[in-house]
Amino acid sequence: MTAKEIIAYMESLQNEEQRQVLMGFFKTGPGEYGEGDEFLGLKVPQTREVVKNAWKDFPLGEVPELLMNRWHEVRLCGLLILVAKFEKLASKRLEDNEVAIKGRDEILTLYLQYAERANNWDLVDLSAPKILGHWLLLPTNLGDKDYKMKVLDDLAQSPCLWKQRMSIVCSWKTSQMGTPSWCLRYAEIHLHHPHDLMHKAVGWMLREMGKRCSVDLLRDFLRQHAHEMPRTMLRYAIEKMPEQERQYWMKV
């Protein structure tokens, strides 16, 4: 399938009732975080089905046409194609394979080039951990750990909310793989972020880090920062703790 064929097929599935629901759910009204985003009204399983049938033979060079499309679901399709291609090249047996390393770097570079097209929280959350987060822990020809940190720092310091979200949500994967440092660094950087979407993201990532790596590391972070954390961020971070401990941190 070409990009044009995918777009035409997805447009043929348009559902007006579901479109109205999604436009409300993803806050597309004037002044809201998703202002101007346009939906076809497809459910995520429908988009995943397109990806399942297309990704293996879909040329990487065609993905930008999907990412630049007006429709939210088409952009999601493009991002999930990148995820599928990256994951194939990131299997254990291919971690140090030079051809796979080159392929992963190409996908990561393309992902960053079009990062602003992941312009809602679901587009970020379904792509950043599996591409950017996994790349942080794999061999690359693009640079050393300092280079990787610069990539995330550039995202974190961007004026674009969605790039900022990428810099913390990508740590979902690093924490899953037992490396807490990325989460802790970018949680601290975003500690005083003004947007509620970032409060939720940081709290969520801290909770996952505590669950996957060490709850004691989470407690250390809370001892340093609970008194200055936005309430939503703190609630998300301590959500899985025992009730008595949750009450303790909320009083801090």
Side-chain angles (χ1 to χ4, degrees):
M1 297 179 75
T2 65
K4 285 182 173 56
E5 288 171 332
I6 284 178
I7 294 166
Y9 174 70
M10 295 182 75
E11 286 179 338
S12 75
L13 302 176
Q14 187 167 350
N15 183 316
E16 180 61 26
E17 183 178 349
Q18 180 69 8
R19 187 177 81 86
Q20 294 298 327
V21 171
L22 293 173
M23 287 174 64
F25 183 73
F26 286 105
K27 307 296 183 186
T28 63
E32 295 181 310
Y33 62 74
E35 181 177 356
D37 203 355
E38 297 184 84
F39 288 80
L40 288 167
L42 275 63
K43 295 183 178 179
V44 174
Q46 291 177 286
T47 302
R48 287 194 180 279
E49 188 65 22
V50 175
V51 174
K52 179 181 175 182
N53 293 327
W55 76 268
K56 288 182 182 178
D57 299 317
F58 194 78
L60 197 61
E62 292 254 325
V63 173
E65 188 170 348
L66 300 179
L67 299 181
M68 292 303 297
N69 193 263
R70 62 185 283 203
W71 301 116
H72 183 106
E73 296 93 337
V74 173
R75 296 196 303 281
L76 175 58
C77 181
L79 291 167
L80 293 180
I81 286 174
L82 290 182
V83 167
K85 287 182 176 292
F86 190 94
E87 288 186 321
K88 181 183 179 182
L89 297 174
S91 65
K92 197 70 177 172
R93 69 180 185 85
L94 292 177
E95 281 187 4
D96 298 309
N97 179 280
E98 279 300 323
V99 175
I101 292 172
K102 181 182 177 184
R104 294 195 302 260
D105 287 347
E106 288 177 353
I107 293 168
L108 185 278
T109 300
L110 182 64
Y111 181 68
L112 293 175
Q113 183 180 350
Y114 289 91
E116 288 190 23
R117 301 302 295 165
N119 58 345
N120 216 312
W121 59 263
D122 63 318
L123 302 179
V124 172
D125 297 358
L126 291 171
S127 61
K130 293 182 178 180
I131 298 176
L132 180 57
H134 203 168
W135 173 81
L136 292 173
L137 300 178
L138 292 169
T140 174
N141 293 326
L142 296 177
D144 57 12
K145 186 175 181 180
D146 287 341
Y147 173 81
K148 292 179 176 181
M149 193 172 293
K150 183 181 183 304
V151 168
L152 259 63
D153 284 352
D154 287 347
L155 292 170
Q157 294 161 11
S158 166
C160 174
L161 173 64
W162 310 115
K163 288 185 176 182
Q164 295 166 11
R165 189 174 173 99
M166 283 179 180
S167 71
I168 182 65
V169 171
C170 72
S171 72
W172 192 4
K173 185 69 173 182
T174 56
S175 292
Q176 281 180 338
M177 298 180 75
T179 303
S181 57
W182 296 100
C183 174
L184 293 169
R185 174 180 171 81
Y186 292 94
E188 196 161 23
I189 286 173
H190 293 304
L191 198 63
H192 301 292
H193 198 287
H195 205 293
D196 183 65
L197 278 177
M198 289 297 290
H199 300 170
K200 292 175 180 177
V202 172
W204 170 32
M205 290 303 103
L206 285 169
R207 184 184 74 222
E208 288 300 308
M209 185 280 300
K211 182 171 72 173
R212 303 284 185 170
C213 298
S214 167
V215 71
D216 287 333
L217 281 177
L218 174 56
R219 291 184 178 117
D220 288 344
F221 187 93
L222 294 173
R223 275 189 282 271
Q224 293 179 62
H225 300 296
H227 66 282
E228 57 182 336
M229 292 170 72
R231 301 294 277 182
T232 298
M233 185 186 296
L234 180 57
R235 285 194 190 96
Y236 271 62
I238 64 177
E239 187 177 17
K240 299 299 182 182
M241 288 181 169
E243 174 65 21
Q244 186 174 357
E245 186 171 5
R246 289 204 307 273
Q247 291 300 323
Y248 167 79
W249 289 117
M250 291 305 293
K251 288 174 184 175
V252 169

